[in-house]
Amino acid sequence: MWVGTFGGISKFYINKDFKVYRNEPNDNNSLSSSSVCGIYEDDEGMVWVGTFNSGINRINLSNGEITRFYSDTNNKNSLSSNRIKDITGIGNEIWIATDNGLNKYDTSTESFTVYKNSEDENSIVNSEIRVLHIDKDGLLWIGTRGGISTFDRKENFISYNKLLEENGIYEKTISAIYEDAKGIMWFGLGNDGGLVKYNRKTGEIRNYLYDENNEKSLSNNTVRSIAEDSKGNLWVGTQDGLNKLNEEKDEFIVYTYEDGLSNNFIYGVLIDDNDNVWTSTNYGVSMYDQANDKFIRYYEADGLGSNEFNGFSYHKNKKGEIYFGGVNGLTKLNPLNIQLRMETSDIIIDSIKTSGGIEVNRSDNIVLEYDSRELYLKFFIPEYKNINQMQYAYKLEGMDNDWVFSGSENYARYASIPPGKYKLLIKGRNYNGVWSDISTLNIKVKNSIFKTPIAYCTYIFILIIGIYYFYNQMNILNSLVKKKTYELNVKLNENEILYKRLIQAEKYKNNYFVNLSHELRTPLNVILSIEQLIKSLIKSGNHIDNNKMEGYMNTLGGNSKRLLNLINNIIDTSKIESGTYKLNKEKVDIVNLVEDTALSMVELARAKGIDLIIDPEIEELIISCDRLDIERCIVNLIGNAIKFTESKGKITVTVSNFEDKVKISVKDTGVGIDVKYHDSIFDRFGQVYNSSSEEFGGSGLGLTLTKNLINLHMGDIKVASEIGKGSEFIITLPINK
């Protein structure tokens, strides 16, 4: 109420239901900070108030005296941190959660004891404490950013992190702990961890999570607070709505802003002695009257300390009084003393306008001409407290299927309403969440002269003439369109095929160069490492043993040969593709050549635990070929077989006479090759670059070079292979050419 006097103007509340405590900069007998983050009233009636970053306050309600406690690095008998998260207590022990340890304040000795996480297993799981709870047995439950533990308040800590992980729960940020009437423990998890139910007697753990396909699931996985009413229903506050859990049906009922909640972001949930549900939110306080299924909302204008509240900052004392802490102080209320207002005024229509802003006389029946079918209505509820929290909804029966919720916008607009009869329904909800009675308005829109029966007959006659006149032209156009469409589709398919080929080719090239870079880098890294090692030994003055030096040189030589061989393969492949590669053919005993080449690789296979079997079917066969090139091909095939065959495997090399050709087979029991890759493995830019090639290594040039060299000899190479069943590469060379 505002009162003007000869001495100025005054403001006071007629019914002030809320008591507010906040920081006054020049008053030491006020809170140390207005940002309240933890509340608890002890057995002696002292209210303990934690702040965001200014320590803790003790309020003596009998005389109003406020005592402040801070963290002091020079005083061991002080708080471990000024940032308070939660407060609870039992007897003469006040337990305080901070972001840097757990604090116990003994009211009898007025001393602090601090507990922090340490390497000792008998400690808190994490020093950043978020929530505290003392159960019916006097056991202290400690929720932290790194998990949950219990403390017997003497010397024993027990961690529950392993138990949670064994049940598939890995989120460790605890934001709420609650013990229901049955002794079941409930944990609220932050960071999308959901709600956890823990039965200490049976060890059963259940994790409730949001399911987009189930409207009766938890509304949001970030849980802020938990409470239980007298009927055993669990109330869960989340970052997106209030949830009521019916354990028997295992279903949630979700309440949101549309149902009357002041804001969907909930910080605290408390149940008063009348089973009403009180919630502190990111904008105001809401009270849900279960008996009447109504929400009542309270804001700063009603006497709250602020509209924005804080997490972990809610408390109900033994008298049934409720405390909520926010960014601008501590609010205390007694639910039994608050007068509930469960009605609201009816909607009043302020103005009605049609096309061009023409004012329409207000009445219960409105008639609109066809060329003036735009309707604009403005309405309001004649209440002036928290006007920005008023909400409106309207529905035009015959046009709208559901109610249109316009929020705080107190107007409705319709354009080009079809001819006919309508009924406009309007209702409003005041700041307490109570809906008004529905106001109605009858509307009639006249028809157009162009929609009379004579007009429709004229339209049909003109349409028939038009169809007859354009019938032949349409047929011709249809034929042209079909022809053009067919040509475009053919062209489109051709372009699509070319595009896919281009994409595939680029993919192959990319895989090839990635694979080749790995192959080049490996020997270079070894060479550079040995070079650095030798330089380091020389620089330090250490003598290098001859055997070690010989080993280093062998390693350098081997990797240099490997690098040189790889570069030769690249050069030779390019020469073959450009047509400049020359063969030096001579008369060669192909059987002897294959046997000697294979025998030179027996030790390499044996070092890997692989049996290399050489089993020619003929003793001698002279053909014309380039000895070195054919030897390279055999080495490539056997080397690949060794590379892709695991220990205890087997490789078989055979030579046989096949009509006027000689057939050379290299068969292994290795990992095998998928059928879809049988053609691409011989293409330089189409190598199989998958988990197998990454695991076993190789640039893929060996098979490409082998195929090109065999083709230059007028021969052929094929592969027969399946995944997990090994591979067989078969070379056929002409005898008489």
Side-chain angles (χ1 to χ4, degrees), residues 24-243:
E24 301 294 341
N26 298 321
D27 185 2
N28 291 329
N29 196 44
S30 66
L31 296 184
S32 59
S33 169
S34 291
S35 184
V36 177
C37 295
I39 311 165
Y40 174 71
E41 184 173 343
D42 63 23
D43 295 341
E44 298 177 0
M46 297 290 186
V47 177
W48 295 79
V49 181
T51 65
F52 177 72
N53 205 18
S54 296
I56 195 168
N57 303 260
R58 182 178 64 192
I59 305 174
N60 189 331
L61 296 180
S62 61
N63 57 21
E65 180 182 351
I66 297 178
T67 305
R68 300 175 179 179
F69 298 89
Y70 297 99
S71 172
D72 185 354
T73 56
N74 298 319
N75 183 5
K76 295 182 179 180
N77 186 30
S78 68
L79 286 169
S80 61
S81 171
N82 283 326
R83 183 166 294 183
I84 311 301
K85 289 295 185 181
D86 196 13
I87 311 170
T88 189
I90 181 171
N92 62 343
E93 298 175 353
I94 306 299
W95 293 91
I96 304 163
T98 75
D99 66 346
N100 188 26
L102 173 67
N103 295 251
K104 180 181 75 172
Y105 179 77
D106 192 325
T107 58
S108 61
T109 62
E110 296 186 352
S111 61
F112 282 95
T113 304
V114 179
Y115 303 88
K116 294 185 180 182
N117 173 258
S118 66
E119 296 180 357
D120 185 2
E121 292 184 359
N122 188 29
S123 68
I124 306 173
V125 295
N126 189 284
S127 292
E128 188 171 349
I129 318 297
R130 295 174 63 86
V131 61
L132 301 173
H133 175 80
I134 298 178
D135 65 19
K136 298 173 183 176
D137 300 324
L139 188 65
L140 178 63
W141 292 78
I142 308 164
T144 73
R145 185 174 287 276
I148 189 167
S149 60
T150 57
F151 184 40
D152 62 3
R153 309 197 338 267
K154 293 180 180 179
E155 57 183 18
N156 296 317
F157 288 90
I158 298 176
S159 171
Y160 288 80
N161 286 359
K162 185 177 180 181
L163 179 62
L164 293 176
E165 291 176 358
E166 289 174 352
N167 287 271
I169 303 171
Y170 298 98
E171 171 52 40
K172 299 296 192 307
T173 302
I174 310 298
S175 56
I177 302 175
Y178 187 81
E179 181 184 16
D180 66 17
K182 300 175 184 177
I184 304 296
M185 299 303 300
W186 297 85
F187 308 135
L189 304 182
N191 299 330
D192 292 333
L195 176 68
V196 175
K197 173 185 177 183
Y198 172 46
N199 189 326
R200 287 182 283 179
K201 294 181 180 179
T202 64
E204 176 188 1
I205 287 184
R206 169 78 186 278
N207 192 196
Y208 296 89
L209 295 168
Y210 166 70
D211 183 358
E212 62 180 5
N213 299 317
N214 181 9
E215 61 181 10
K216 294 183 179 180
S217 68
L218 192 67
S219 64
N220 186 272
N221 286 333
T222 300
V223 175
R224 288 281 183 172
S225 54
I226 307 168
E228 182 185 21
D229 62 23
S230 63
K231 297 178 182 178
N233 297 311
L234 204 71
W235 294 84
V236 182
T238 73
Q239 289 190 179
D240 190 21
L242 176 65
N243 297 255

Side-chain angles (χ1 to χ4, degrees), residues 280-419:
S280 61
T281 74
N282 209 39
Y283 193 78
V285 169
S286 297
M287 188 278 286
Y288 176 60
D289 184 352
Q290 294 198 67
N292 297 301
D293 191 25
K294 294 280 187 179
F295 274 96
I296 306 296
R297 299 185 289 195
Y298 299 96
Y299 299 95
E300 192 171 352
D302 297 300
L304 299 181
S306 64
N307 283 331
E308 182 180 350
F309 292 86
N310 287 331
F312 316 105
S313 190
Y314 52 94
H315 176 69
K316 175 186 171 185
N317 65 15
K318 296 178 181 179
K319 300 176 184 177
E321 297 172 330
I322 289 175
Y323 295 87
F324 287 122
V327 299
N328 194 21
L330 172 69
T331 301
K332 174 185 176 182
L333 61 96
N334 189 336
L336 300 179
N337 295 337
I338 294 180
Q339 300 295 321
L340 304 182
R341 184 182 178 196
M342 303 302 293
E343 72 282 340
T344 187
S345 303
D346 291 337
I347 287 284
I348 293 178
I349 297 177
D350 182 39
S351 62
I352 305 173
K353 295 181 181 180
T354 184
S355 301
I358 300 174
E359 190 87 18
V360 178
N361 292 330
R362 287 181 290 242
S363 65
D364 293 337
N365 297 285
I366 296 176
V367 179
L368 300 178
E369 297 295 333
Y370 183 78
D371 55 355
S372 299
R373 293 177 293 148
E374 182 177 348
L375 189 64
Y376 178 82
L377 296 94
K378 195 170 183 180
F379 38 80
F380 64 94
I381 296 177
E383 296 180 11
Y384 305 97
K385 192 175 183 180
N386 286 321
I387 293 178
N388 60 338
Q389 290 300 312
M390 299 291 184
Q391 292 181 297
Y392 301 92
Y394 55 87
K395 178 182 179 182
L396 187 60
E397 289 187 343
M399 189 169 178
D400 294 330
N401 294 325
D402 299 311
W403 285 89
V404 178
F405 291 90
S406 60
S408 60
E409 296 178 347
N410 61 330
Y411 60 85
R413 172 174 288 166
Y414 290 93
S416 301
I417 304 175

Side-chain angles (χ1 to χ4, degrees), residues 661-679:
K661 298 179 180 179
V662 60
K663 183 171 74 171
I664 304 169
S665 169
V666 179
K667 185 176 182 181
D668 62 58
T669 59
V671 296
I673 304 170
D674 199 323
V675 175
K676 62 182 179 181
Y677 296 123
H678 283 189
D679 292 332

